[in-house]
Amino acid sequence: MTKKTKLKLAVLATLLIGWNAKADEGMWLPSLIAQRIADMQEKGFRLDAEDIYSINEASLKDAVVLFGRGCTGELISPEGLLLTNHHCGYSQIQQHSSVEHDYLRDGFWAMSREEELPNKGLSVSFLERMEDVTDLILNGYTPDMTEDERVAIVKKNSKALIAEATKEGNGLRATVEALYYGNQYFLFLYRQYDDVRLVGAPPSSIGKFGGDTDNWMWPRHTGDFSMFRIYADKDNNPAPYSKDNVPYRPKKYFHISTKGVQEGDFTFIYGFPGRTQEYLHSEGVRYIEETSDPHKIHLRTVRLDIMNRHQAESQKVRIQYSSKNANVANAWKKWQGEVKGIKKMKTVQTKQEFEAAFAKWAKGGEFDGVTDRLAAIYAELEPYQFATDYYTETVRTIEIANFAMSIARLFIQEDSLVTFDNAKASELAESFYKDWYLPIDKESFTAVMNEYEKNVPAEFKPAYYKEKLAEYGSVEAWAEDMFTSSLFTDPAKTASLSPADKERVMSDPATVFFNEFLKWYYADILPVTTRLNQELQLVYRDYMRGQMAYCRPQRIPKAFYPDANLTLRVAYGHIKGYSPADGTYYLPSSTIKGIMEKDNPDIFDYNIPQRLRDIYATKDYGRWSDASGEVPVCFIATNHTTGGNSGSPVINADGDLIGLNFDRVWEGTMSDIVFDPEICRNIALDIRYVLFTIDKIGEADYLFDEMTFTE
Ligand code: ARG
Ligand code: GLU
């Protein structure tokens, strides 16, 4: 590393240390939490930095795991018992469900260790340690190099570092992550366990209560939890599933507080937030607010209308499309809240003002012209990004085309690797046809491709598309042909495919549709967006340091923490209601009474188990009611969270578990871009409702024997 880079990094380090923003905003790195601990303690926290993260002693980090591909989970017993969300364990619960044992509908509770269900492909990872490796990663880099050369060096050094860090094997895996747009690099070393068994889940009428109607909303009454157990070999080491494995003994597990929560209480969240973009230039935000989100929302509204109409007409279709619908609806609803929030906060305008002042300050110095360069790159990127957004939200959503391509890939591989494999094809076909309804896919094709035709400029459409459309005369005629002549509309034809059918599969209209767009995307769009995103990365790296250098000495109250990137973070705040609109104030907690108020046997999302009605009628709450005599269900707090924080432990001032994070309030979903402490709230499940459900609905209170309650 050159002197100049060293100096830059040293400056960055001094800018980061001791910077004390007072708001609840922030997702902090656990290994650097000592820098925040005074503020946390001032706000009520009663433990020390070493209790949160320590490399020598067991600390709370040893009780938190990355669950599956994008959720968080926490250990709640010395015998590997783990808590996460129902929506995080959903696919596992679904996999074990059949008509005879519908665990999604009825819930599932293992009544002994033998009844716990193994899950192929599910793993959890503990963070062993994290470490600043910026010097090592940039070794060999000089500032005169291009971004391409820098990327190559970072890649090479990362690879070597990862190999070194994981050489012991034994479940170790590592990643090197760029923070602050590559101003800093951290190594994250994990130990991964692959034998994770399902212990219990409430019925969906509790675990998914409120469904998509209540999703992203407060007041909320969803019992969004499920339980698993981690297994290890006899020496407590990671091992693939074996019936000889034994429950994993964690270094640390959470003690559970049933004392209850009050407005104003300190809370802290420990988990794996996925992605935020808090330091964007105004042009980046403007594109999201004015163009990207509105178009994506509209395209999804069109698809959801079609799905909803067909789902309402048929019970079978309702089930077939329930998970697909939920996936489409989740981001669709979030984006709407996000746009409203950005507008309400006037984020583009605020950022423009900030950038103008910044540019003036930067004149003649290291950061001169940085904001203009960003604006220029965005101007070039925007039409390509728009084409990408349309491509992903239209062409890539056509189910039959995706399926055709997945079958075609079996033939393409034939040249290099294997011959077309019937077993693999029928496996793909089985899972595709089980949940595919032709009229939805066809109507969707017509609707989204008409939007595509209308909104995407001609120069950003593939030649193939333009020729085909001219040939057919209309999107409708194209749809008619594709959905009658494609062999993939007929499961019997797909089932009879043999290695000799390569030509037929490759020239099928559904395959060609997918493939031609794909080729165009790789040739005409992706290279440009990749290049421009790299340029952005490079300039943002300067702008990031520039923002710190500008704000701090002038005491501009702006919190600086690395954007979320699915690495372990700490967010802290307190339990607090909010006012979503003029004349309205929301209290910070909900109870079982609210479930009964929503209860409606005629509305799928609000139809609760009869058992819950009976319990409510007799107030048979056991030890789980609060001072008001009701069972608490959910609460909200000011912790800064995002997707990936699902299942994260919500922890009180003493480090004990009081809840389980699972969502955010709709009016605050712009917090991935801009955080407003007045409005942004995370939504958590009160641990007492979890315990109540285990006890009174699941009748699995034997599980309490292995838990530790603090009072
Ligand atoms: N909104 C929560 C999250 O972002 C819950 C999602 C559960 N899915 C749903 N469509 N209700 O993941
Ligand atoms: N439900 C989200 C998840 O799966 C958490 C909600 C959010 O985005 O904050 O991670």
Side-chain angles (χ1 to χ4, degrees):
M1 206 172 7
T2 64
K3 255 208 189 110
K4 199 163 160 213
T5 348
K6 271 223 170 94
L7 188 72
K8 276 190 192 174
L9 293 170
V11 172
L12 176 82
T14 51
L15 288 172
L16 287 172
I17 289 168
W19 175 250
N20 247 7
K22 286 291 171 199
D24 298 305
E25 174 176 4
M27 300 175 170
W28 310 99
L29 292 172
S31 63
L32 303 179
I33 204 66
Q35 296 167 12
R36 308 293 314 176
I37 202 75
D39 187 46
M40 290 176 79
Q41 288 166 344
E42 197 180 301
K43 288 175 171 153
F45 191 48
R46 285 191 281 268
L47 305 183
D48 294 319
E50 283 279 306
D51 297 313
I52 295 175
Y53 178 95
S54 166
I55 35 173
N56 305 311
E57 307 284 332
S59 59
L60 291 179
K61 82 150 171 57
D62 300 310
V64 183
V65 294
L66 178 66
F67 181 90
R69 267 181 263 283
C71 278
T72 305
E74 57 275 2
L75 277 292
I76 52 167
S77 94
E79 294 170 80
L81 193 61
L82 179 153
L83 194 58
T84 188
N85 288 146
H86 187 263
H87 79 260
C88 295
Y90 199 79
S91 67
Q92 282 76 32
I93 306 167
Q94 181 175 33
Q95 272 163 34
H96 294 298
S97 296
S98 62
V99 179
E100 301 82 57
H101 304 286
D102 192 345
Y103 299 143
L104 274 181
R105 189 191 60 204
D106 305 330
F108 165 77
W109 291 97
M111 285 304 163
S112 67
R113 299 273 158 94
E114 289 69 47
E115 286 179 21
E116 296 174 354
L117 300 170
N119 300 287
K120 221 191 198 164
L122 175 65
S123 60
V124 298
S125 297
F126 291 86
L127 181 70
E128 291 273 310
R129 65 184 160 85
M130 54 189 287
E131 190 184 328
D132 188 334
V133 291
T134 315
D135 288 353
L136 292 170
I137 292 299
L138 292 181
N139 188 19
Y141 167 72
T142 51
D144 54 305
M145 288 179 175
T146 65
E147 186 65 2
D148 268 345
E149 289 167 323
R150 191 182 192 271
V151 168
I153 285 179
V154 168
K155 211 167 160 183
K156 178 174 137 266
N157 289 342
S158 300
K159 214 174 143 194
L161 202 60
I162 288 171
E164 173 62 27
T166 56
K167 65 172 191 282
E168 165 202 329
N170 198 12
L172 285 184
R173 74 181 174 81
T175 63
V176 170
E177 306 287 348
L179 304 176
Y180 298 115
Y181 296 94
N183 278 302
Q184 253 184 329
Y185 290 90
F186 265 75
L187 173 78
F188 293 85
L189 183 66
Y190 300 95
R191 201 178 295 278
Q192 179 177 318
Y193 287 79
D194 296 327
D195 186 353
V196 185
R197 304 185 196 169
L198 179 65
V199 174
S204 292
S205 51
I206 287 179
K208 229 189 149 209
F209 178 77
D212 279 293
T213 319
D214 282 10
N215 191 22
W216 299 112
M217 302 291 251
W218 182 255
R220 191 66 158 278
H221 301 89
T222 312
D224 198 343
F225 79 96
S226 59
M227 295 177 95
F228 289 79
R229 190 185 306 278
I230 307 169
Y231 279 78
D233 71 13
K234 288 188 189 60
D235 304 316
N236 213 30
N237 288 318
Y241 170 78
S242 154
K243 60 180 186 353
D244 300 330
N245 285 347
V246 294
Y248 168 71
R249 296 181 306 282
K251 291 184 214 147
K252 186 89 183 170
Y253 65 94
F254 282 101
H255 295 183
I256 295 171
S257 167
T258 55
K259 205 162 44 190
V261 299
Q262 300 268 304
E263 180 139 27
D265 282 358
F266 175 88
T267 59
F268 119 65
I269 300 245
Y270 215 160
F272 290 87
R275 179 172 142 90
T276 60
Q277 311 176 75
E278 309 286 348
Y279 307 99
L280 283 189
H281 184 273
S282 59
E283 280 302 291
V285 181
R286 193 192 50 72
Y287 176 69
I288 293 171
E289 178 198 324
E290 291 178 5
T291 309
S292 176
D293 275 3
H295 279 273
K296 291 191 297 188
I297 292 163
H298 177 65
L299 289 168
R300 289 194 177 201
T301 304
V302 166
R303 287 165 64 205
L304 285 166
D305 284 349
I306 294 167
M307 279 190 241
N308 289 337
R309 180 160 39 76
H310 285 285
Q311 285 180 275
E313 280 164 9
S314 147
Q315 174 81 356
K316 185 175 168 216
V317 177
R318 189 180 62 66
I319 295 168
Q320 282 181 317
Y321 277 74
S322 70
S323 174
K324 292 175 187 173
N325 190 316
N327 278 336
V328 177
N330 193 40
W332 168 78
K333 195 162 178 183
K334 192 203 120 165
W335 290 328
Q336 294 175 54
E338 184 171 86
V339 170
K340 279 187 100 147
I342 295 172
K343 276 203 169 65
K344 192 167 166 204
M345 288 199 67
K346 299 193 166 55
T347 304
V348 172
Q349 193 188 324
T350 317
K351 292 223 176 207
Q352 281 167 347
E353 286 159 13
F354 176 86
E355 286 150 16
F358 175 90
K360 216 168 127 199
W361 166 85
K363 272 256 150 357
E366 186 191 349
F367 306 111
D368 196 354
V370 163
T371 48
D372 288 345
R373 287 216 295 286
L374 287 173
I377 301 171
Y378 274 116
E380 211 186 320
L381 177 62
E382 189 163 321
Y384 288 89
Q385 189 57 48
F386 187 73
T388 307
D389 285 346
Y390 259 83
Y391 169 61
T392 22
E393 291 291 327
T394 59
V395 175
R396 298 289 297 227
T397 66
I398 309 304
E399 296 178 69
I400 196 174
N402 277 286
F403 175 61
M405 196 64 207
S406 68
I407 296 291
R409 289 205 173 98
L410 300 177
F411 286 96
I412 300 168
Q413 282 184 356
E414 182 197 345
D415 299 334
S416 52
L417 288 160
V418 282
T419 46
F420 170 78
D421 175 357
N422 262 99
K424 184 77 197 135
S426 34
E427 205 179 290
L428 289 171
E430 197 191 325
S431 82
F432 175 72
Y433 290 117
K434 181 168 78 69
D435 290 337
W436 182 63
Y437 186 56
L438 185 148
I440 291 186
D441 204 16
K442 184 176 166 187
E443 281 174 44
S444 220
F445 177 97
T446 312
V448 297
M449 292 315 291
N450 268 317
E451 293 296 323
Y452 181 89
E453 173 56 18
K454 195 163 74 195
N455 296 317
V456 180
E459 66 268 36
F460 288 97
K461 286 174 176 147
Y464 152 81
Y465 166 84
K466 288 185 265 192
E467 281 159 25
K468 272 284 166 201
L469 187 65
E471 195 182 308
Y472 284 116
S474 71
V475 168
E476 282 73 8
W478 191 345
E480 200 51 48
D481 180 53
M482 171 139 60
F483 285 87
T484 36
S485 72
S486 168
L487 78 93
F488 298 107
T489 57
D490 183 353
K493 281 189 196 147
T494 308
S496 67
L497 285 175
S498 76
D501 288 314
K502 178 170 179 177
E503 213 16 67
R504 198 161 146 240
V505 166
M506 295 314 290
S507 62
D508 186 90
T511 316
V512 173
F513 174 81
F514 196 96
N515 205 16
E516 287 297 324
F517 266 101
L518 191 69
K519 284 195 300 206
W520 158 84
Y521 175 69
Y522 275 104
D524 290 8
I525 303 297
L526 191 61
V528 184
T529 53
T530 305
R531 173 176 62 80
L532 292 171
N533 278 315
Q534 265 190 16
E535 282 178 30
L536 275 182
Q537 193 70 12
L538 184 76
V539 185
Y540 265 122
R541 198 172 302 137
D542 287 341
Y543 185 41
M544 194 68 240
R545 285 198 322 283
Q547 291 184 62
M548 292 173 181
Y550 170 63
C551 291
R552 189 161 181 248
Q554 320 198 34
R555 300 264 139 225
I556 295 172
K558 194 168 165 52
F560 286 107
Y561 48 90
D563 271 318
N565 57 356
L566 209 64
T567 58
L568 191 59
R569 302 296 176 92
V570 167
Y572 59 95
H574 50 283
I575 294 182
K576 199 176 179 203
Y578 74 108
S579 169
D582 183 44
T584 314
Y585 187 80
Y586 285 149
L587 298 175
S589 50
S590 66
T591 71
I592 193 168
K593 210 169 128 217
I595 298 181
M596 304 313 297
E597 286 168 1
K598 286 178 180 171
D599 176 28
N600 184 339
D602 298 328
I603 301 176
F604 182 77
D605 285 347
Y606 293 130
N607 185 12
I608 61 170
Q610 185 53 40
R611 173 121 187 86
L612 195 56
R613 291 186 192 114
D614 297 343
I615 291 171
Y616 185 74
T618 58
K619 301 264 184 237
D620 174 24
Y621 297 156
R623 46 204 261 238
W624 311 117
S625 58
D626 66 8
S628 77
E630 297 298 344
V631 181
V633 176
C634 294
F635 61 83
I636 51 175
T638 60
N639 303 294
H640 191 182
T641 56
T642 188
N645 272 122
S646 275
S648 297
V650 187
I651 305 159
N652 69 10
D654 297 308
D656 299 326
L657 189 69
I658 53 172
L660 185 57
N661 188 71
F662 71 96
D663 213 356
R664 271 177 294 165
V665 304
W666 194 62
E667 301 83 359
T669 45
M670 71 295 192
S671 65
D672 292 346
I673 292 164
V674 55
F675 187 89
D676 179 0
E678 294 301 318
I679 302 281
C680 294
R681 299 289 180 270
N682 64 305
I683 307 181
L685 183 58
D686 193 302
I687 198 69
R688 291 168 296 175
Y689 188 54
V690 173
L691 300 167
F692 164 85
T693 305
I694 295 172
D695 187 5
K696 296 289 174 178
I697 304 288
E699 295 178 342
D701 54 324
Y702 80 94
L703 289 168
F704 297 160
D705 296 345
E706 60 184 290
M707 298 176 194
T708 306
F709 298 96
T710 54
E711 61 275 319

